[in-house]
Amino acid sequence: MARLHAVEVSGDASVVEGPLQGYHHETYVFPLPGGPASKLPVRWKCREPRENLLWFDRRCFSSEEELLRALSGRISRIPDVIEVGRVGLQRFIEGETLAALHGSGRAVPDRIFEQIIDLFGQMARVESETLVIERRCDVVDRPTDGDTNGFLERLVHFTEERVYQENLPSFDGLFSSLGVTDESFKWLRKNVSGLHDRPFFLLHADLHRENFIVDPRARLWVIDWELAMLGDPLYDLATHLYLMRYPKRQEEYMAARWRGVVERVRPGSSRGMEDDLSLLVNYKKAQSVFTDVIRSALSLESGPEPTARRLVNTGEKLHRILAAAAAPLGLESVPAPGQIASALDQWRRAREQVTVSPRWPPVPGRSECGPLM
């Protein structure tokens, strides 16, 4: 459907590029007919949610397009959104991802670093009272301003209920073999409790290197606002640091600079940071266990039978993730990489005998390039 919409709007199948690489969506890019002729024409994208995919994070706003419209002029360098007839299109940002230019673990150049700091300052100015758009999350998932413990509890609840429990029919044996059980969430709550109150404002909640685009003029653009929410600002920093994998010195510098910019805009936004940042990072480490175990298992299940080397590599990756989350999840020990690889292979072979489909949470929202309602 995404390609059909793209061809229909562009008027020329030969100019449609895609599908582009992406986990959650099938995306196509094209120029509009009659657009300006230049070496770098403006192109637009439409995308459809892929079927039967895991969504590991709660969605807050009903429409990414609606959010982008509301943030236009308030957050610099985010994609424009236009309507062509009854079809909504999002501008495709030309350039390279930050991941392609400066991969995980590498330092980010100063010019890019300063633009990330500016972004945090701009988001700190967007409060719930000034962002009046439709929200999809339940009332219980909207704690009162400053209730950081309530905010984090609802994120833990989503991970426990929607990611872990709903998929136990498919992954119970695998999780158990890795030492992850219902008790893990009791430990997690105990190990991330006691946050300080902080004023809420807009969070992107997924600021990693693939979601930053550097254009030919070295300007930084921010894409994929699907996980944006209103909540604890320190959670956004914790997520950013965890996903970016900065070198240690630059990570510390980012935390210090973040504190300075948000405090200038919203005093109290970094309250308790010395204690709370590590707790929020621990939640992200724990969340990654459920995300990566399920994704890794499913990736081994699809396609040809995995090689021994692929199983070993996957076991080593999950060992690092489990080791990082051992404390917040209360894991007394972490299986060796070889044991994890064996558990994955046993799970895969069992699935070949009796297939139990995961219970996917429904894909939220509507098509971004389908007819507007």
Side-chain angles (χ1 to χ4, degrees):
M1 288 302 299
R3 181 172 178 81
L4 290 175
H5 285 305
V7 171
E8 177 184 1
V9 175
S10 68
D12 183 357
S14 68
V15 302
V16 176
E17 179 184 345
L20 304 185
Q21 182 178 358
Y23 177 78
H24 286 118
H25 296 88
E26 182 177 337
T27 304
Y28 294 86
V29 177
F30 53 88
L32 289 175
S38 66
K39 293 183 179 179
L40 195 63
V42 174
R43 295 193 293 171
W44 302 86
K45 68 180 181 180
C46 66
R47 59 186 189 176
E48 297 275 354
R50 298 186 188 276
E51 296 182 355
N52 296 332
L53 284 182
L54 283 172
W55 293 76
F56 291 103
D57 300 275
R58 193 184 69 214
R59 268 60 179 166
C60 177
F61 298 108
S62 295
S63 165
E64 184 185 9
E65 293 178 347
E66 185 181 356
L67 175 62
L68 289 172
R69 291 189 187 98
L71 296 178
S72 178
R74 306 170 75 178
I75 305 293
S76 61
R77 290 189 290 280
I78 58 176
D80 297 325
V81 175
I82 64 170
E83 296 178 16
V84 179
R86 297 180 62 244
V87 176
L89 301 176
Q90 190 178 133
R91 181 180 174 183
F92 178 72
I93 306 303
E94 306 285 354
E96 297 284 344
T97 67
L98 184 58
L101 297 173
H102 308 282
S104 179
R106 295 176 58 190
V108 174
D110 291 345
R111 185 172 180 180
I112 300 300
F113 188 93
E114 292 300 322
Q115 293 179 73
I116 297 175
I117 295 296
D118 289 343
L119 170 67
F120 280 123
Q122 292 170 18
M123 289 193 294
R125 294 182 174 88
V126 182
E127 307 173 43
S128 59
E129 294 80 3
T130 63
L131 190 62
V132 186
I133 61 175
E134 185 179 357
R135 296 170 68 178
R136 71 169 65 251
C137 50
D138 296 333
V139 174
V140 69
D141 289 324
R142 307 178 195 179
T144 57
D145 186 19
D147 182 9
T148 56
N149 286 290
F151 171 82
L152 183 57
E153 165 56 29
R154 295 310 300 172
L155 295 177
V156 174
H157 176 81
F158 183 93
T159 301
E160 180 180 26
E161 183 179 85
R162 301 294 300 278
V163 180
Y164 174 69
Q165 290 181 351
E166 288 194 5
N167 288 295
L168 278 182
S170 297
F171 298 97
D172 188 18
L174 179 57
F175 277 123
S176 295
S177 68
L178 302 179
V180 178
T181 67
D182 292 343
E183 291 294 316
S184 301
F185 285 94
K186 295 180 181 179
W187 278 97
L188 179 59
R189 286 183 167 89
K190 177 181 178 180
N191 285 308
V192 299
S193 64
L195 301 178
H196 296 74
D197 291 349
R198 284 175 287 273
F200 287 3
F201 51 74
L202 176 69
L203 321 178
H204 181 283
D206 199 25
L207 288 173
H208 57 75
R209 296 177 192 240
E210 292 286 351
N211 283 341
F212 288 121
I213 307 295
V214 182
D215 72 14
R217 296 167 59 185
R219 297 177 302 178
L220 190 71
W221 296 74
V222 187
I223 63 171
D224 287 355
W225 289 79
E226 285 184 298
L227 303 187
M229 63 181 80
L230 293 158
D232 181 2
L234 197 59
Y235 174 76
D236 219 12
L237 175 64
T239 301
H240 177 66
L241 297 180
Y242 180 72
L243 296 176
M244 287 287 289
R245 302 291 196 270
Y246 286 111
K248 185 63 175 178
R249 181 173 296 183
Q250 194 168 48
E251 177 182 290
E252 293 172 350
Y253 186 51
M254 170 56 74
R257 291 293 306 281
W258 176 90
R259 183 173 205 162
V261 72
V262 299
E263 283 293 337
R264 284 194 297 273
V265 178
R266 296 288 304 281
S269 296
S270 67
R271 186 180 300 119
M273 179 177 172
E274 297 85 353
D275 301 320
D276 294 357
L277 181 57
S278 61
L279 300 182
L280 291 164
V281 170
N282 279 342
Y283 165 69
K284 298 304 298 184
K285 291 177 179 178
Q287 182 192 36
S288 287
V289 168
F290 304 97
T291 301
D292 287 279
V293 166
I294 293 175
R295 280 183 175 170
S296 296
L298 291 177
S299 71
L300 293 172
E301 181 186 35
S302 62
E305 183 169 338
T307 63
R309 170 48 55 189
R310 186 181 175 194
L311 283 168
V312 168
N313 289 342
T314 305
E316 291 174 346
K317 171 189 171 183
L318 292 182
H319 176 80
R320 291 191 296 269
I321 292 169
L322 282 162
L329 289 178
L331 304 180
E332 294 184 359
S333 62
V334 174
Q339 293 175 303
I340 297 174
S342 295
L344 287 166
D345 196 39
Q346 291 174 15
W347 175 87
R348 183 186 62 82
R349 294 180 185 279
R351 293 269 290 189
E352 290 179 350
Q353 303 301 318
V354 180
T355 299
V356 181
S357 299
R359 296 180 59 191
W360 315 106
V363 175
R366 58 172 173 77
S367 161
E368 292 187 10
C369 56
L372 298 172
M373 303 303 291

